[in-house]
Amino acid sequence: MASRSSQQGLFFRIHIDLTLLLALLALIAAGQVILYSAGGENIALMQRQWIRLGVAFAVMLAIAQISPDTMRRWSPVLFIFGTIMLIAVLLVGTKALGARRWLDLGLFRFQPSEMMKLAVPMMIAWFLSAGNIPPSNRRIFAALAILIVPVLLIAKQPDLGTSLLVSSAGLFVIFMSGVSWRLILGFIIAGISFTVPMWLFLMRDYQRQRVLTMLNPESDPLGSGYHIIQSKIAIGSGGSFGKGWLNGTQSHLEFLPERHTDFIFSVFAEEFGFSGVLILLTLYMFIIFRGIYITTQAHGTYARLLGASVVLTFLIYIFVNIGMVSGILPVVGVPLPLVSYGGTSIVTLMAGFGILMAIHTHRKLLAH
Amino acid sequence: MAAKQLIKDHFIELRIFQHRSIVAIVFTIVLFGILAARLFYLQITNHDHFTTLSQNNRVSVQAIPPTRGLIYDRNGIILAENLPSYTLQIIPEQTRDIDNLIEELATLIEIRDVDIKKFKKEVKRKRRFEGVPLRFRLTDEEVAIISVNLHRLPGVEIQAQLTRYYPYGRETSHVVGYVGRINEKELKTLPVTNYSGTNHTGKLGIEKSYEALLHGQVGYQKVETNVRGRVLRVLERSNPTPGDDLYLNLDINLQKVAADAFEGKRGALVAIDPQNGHILAMLSMPDYDANLFVNGIDSKTYKALNTSWERPLYNRTLLGSYPPGSTTKPFFALAGLELNVIAPDHEIFCPGYYQLKGKSHKYRDWKKWGHGKTDITKSIVESCDVFYYDLAFQLGIDRMHEFMSSFGFGQRSGIDILGERSGLMPSREWKKRVHNQVWFPGETVIAGIGQGYVLVTPLQLALATATLANGGKLYQPQLVHSIKRKSDPIPRLVTPQLVREIKVNRPSNWKQVYHAMTEVIHGRRGTARRLNKTGMRYKIAGKTGTAQVFTVAQDASYKEEDLEERLKDHALFMAFAPVDNPKIAIAVVVENGGHGGSVAAPIAGKVIESYLSQFSNEELKAPQTNTEQKQKKPSASKKPSAYKQPVRNKAKPGNQQTHNTAQFLNEPEYQSHKNLTQAHRTKENSHG
């Protein structure tokens, strides 16, 4: 402990976990390399991404300075503010691509659902940490009720990807709080027993068809299946070592859709092959394990629950995105964290890592 | 107590959390394991499969159409060429406002509403980066106007492509034919790969019959395309093989002389070199401009052409079946002599009509009061019908049919363009087969003057004349003289095909007929004596003919001027010259022209004169020895032409050229052409 504090003294004082920071920088560097290729060697696009990264890092640094205790106290305020914002989006939000997700604030567009990725686990962690651990069944149901409101509001936009991430963030908090396995099993059985009759009796044919297409996009090769088929071709044709940087034909000849955003992993897999993919996955795994390590070292229930939720949500990000582009999960709009081009998600993710760093570096102050 | 509770809680809580953290780690490893397994499956196990799919995605093969072969006349004058033509097209992707742009273009050049309508339809079907044509066949001036303004017309492009052009589109319309856009029916029969880049195919004449040679072999390029099909770069290219050039036996100057001589009349003219069957001129009037058809004729013009009572689209040389009338007389005279039915000094008395024994029907002569005493020469010179009624009766239809068939009457000639009709030389079997009736003697009588059932095409008449002129050698008429591949330095000759040689019993019989035919032009009473001019370097042998269109009732006469134009007689004329050394045999039909001697003969005279003007007096004389024949060759240098080997005086059957031609006919590329000519021959054999 002493030796590490002397090594990381400076970073500890500015509330930065150097290990995590270096891993994140390595990931972002890899992301920049592939974004350059996927974006069609477009410097202007890269510059816009640098600005976002700059903002994201600033947000991370700022949040790292806030003590978990302060966060805990502000959690309900943030949650209520976010929920109001979600309602506002549904009423007066800006519509784009068939979904109402943004609030136009004149200077910039604000996406409340992104904020809720952090506000929801904070709120539930606040709620559960106020009571006994493991929580009583009543408290668990109350936590679920808190969770369901923003999730439904986001799903209504519609934004399936974000509502999935928000609900998993909340559920991870509940899971980490020690909810009994029996209860988890009960929920799973209840879910199935609700889904099956709904599928058989309540849903109309076209609704079933829509769900089936979402689950198996390849049944519709010219419609929703087109993306996933092209993505699999890109990944598969990459082979062991890939086609080489900037040489991916699927991406550069524009067969691959959304190549610099949701499908950027396919570009990476096409150009760097399976060996490159393994390195990337290892890097992600390292960040997750570092995150779990940080939460096990954390002081206080709130910090532990929130930290674990942030790390596991990051895992869900990765799994859903790669699973989706490689054809084992339905296509929901989830970006590859810290690699995909795009504004708000990168800021939210870095804010999440800011929380982890705060949890880690405010420990000793609490201990003293 | 409270503090204890808190500590206890804290302890349990930490244990629960650590326990759950282990679950989280396992969960992480499982999820990453699933991802790694899935990616291994895609990238390692199924790598080959996806590599193939990726290749198919990006590489596409494009056809490069070959350049069509050119067609020249016998002197190397071009008859069908590929000229750059300019098309104005708009690339929608590069324009801001298409409607505005079209409006602006309309201020510069003529753009019709039809063009805009067509354009709008095309725009919807094509991809945004593809040019959509707005105007075809821009004039040089229009190209210049657009080029100057191009900088302020974003998305506008002028494209040059090769379009078939016929410099003598009118004169050659029926012979050379034309190319047109491939239609659905042709799409099914043309070889798919070889035509993958081709829009046009031969529709008529030489262009159709020699399609296989003219088209060439398609080339390919492999290109890398993006998802929208835009070509990014060429990966591999194999050049197309251009089509073969054709040199015709046709003399375009002669063709023009013939067309001018027709002067608004309807009819047909065919001129053949009797020594080898080469077609020197072949004209069907009225003609039309073949160029109209190349890029699609508009329906109004087409309707006008198609429904005109003058039938300009109808190729009379091959399809027109006319009663030959008196032009058959030299042939029947020869038949009578050669078959020993009449003696060379045979003579009859012509009272102006002919009656079969025991019948009251009078077969009238054209000369109401008769020709009086008539021998063979007079029968031809003055065209006595009664002489031939009697001769036909003596010959009988069987011998007439056999003799005339040997000259090609009633048979397809086997000319190297498609679509000829066979004409008709009637026989007993024919009548039994077609009309299911017995042959009546009266029908023999009128067949004797080339009326009744007898029908010839102008081509057949010319070919029979050529066969008569050369002493009985029936050649297959040939339009194409030689074929030049782009890779070969010199063209390969097409050998004249001798179909049959008619057995000559007594050469003096033939001479007697020639003499009579010569008198038709050069005698005092000849029906075509107007062709006789003082100081002519050669003598012409010929025969006029008048074919009835309108049947005159028994014992009635009619005045020509009372008849409607369309019911007037067809005027015919057949001839060859020089008599002693035939170089040209010709047949002329003028529809509703009236008398052969006054209408058809002058046209033939002009063509003969024009053709023979290129020969020296020496060459026009009868061939005496071999050395004299050799001296003819240098005449080639008289006319400068791209095509060095002069066609005339060439290609006698049996000389060394046969070898060349036989060789190329066996090569696979030429098979289709060979099949074509063979099909003709087979048909002919079944007839003969």
Side-chain angles (χ1 to χ4, degrees), chain A residues 175 179 230 250 254 301 326, chain B residues 13 20 38 47 57 228:
Chain A
F175 172 76
V179 58
Q230 293 301 336
Q250 282 290 104
E254 299 169 39
T301 312
S326 64
Chain B
E13 192 188 316
R20 291 286 151 116
R38 174 64 176 174
H47 173 58
N57 256 353
R228 287 178 295 278

Side-chain angles (χ1 to χ4, degrees), chain B residues 22 41 89 128 162 248 309 312 329 376 390 467 526 553 564 605 608 618 624 640 671 686:
Chain B
I22 291 165
Y41 172 77
Q89 51 181 32
R128 297 274 300 159
L162 291 179
L248 303 189
W309 69 273
K329 282 172 182 167
I376 291 172
D390 182 54
T467 308
E564 210 189 311
I608 292 171
E618 267 317 289
Q624 300 290 313
Q671 284 298 323
S686 69

Side-chain angles (χ1 to χ4, degrees), chain B residues 27 89 92 170 256 258 299 392 402 432 466 473 507 574:
Chain B
F27 184 58
Q89 51 181 32
R170 296 203 77 92
K256 272 188 348 202
S299 55
E402 193 190 341
K432 187 86 198 142
K473 289 195 270 295
M574 57 84 107

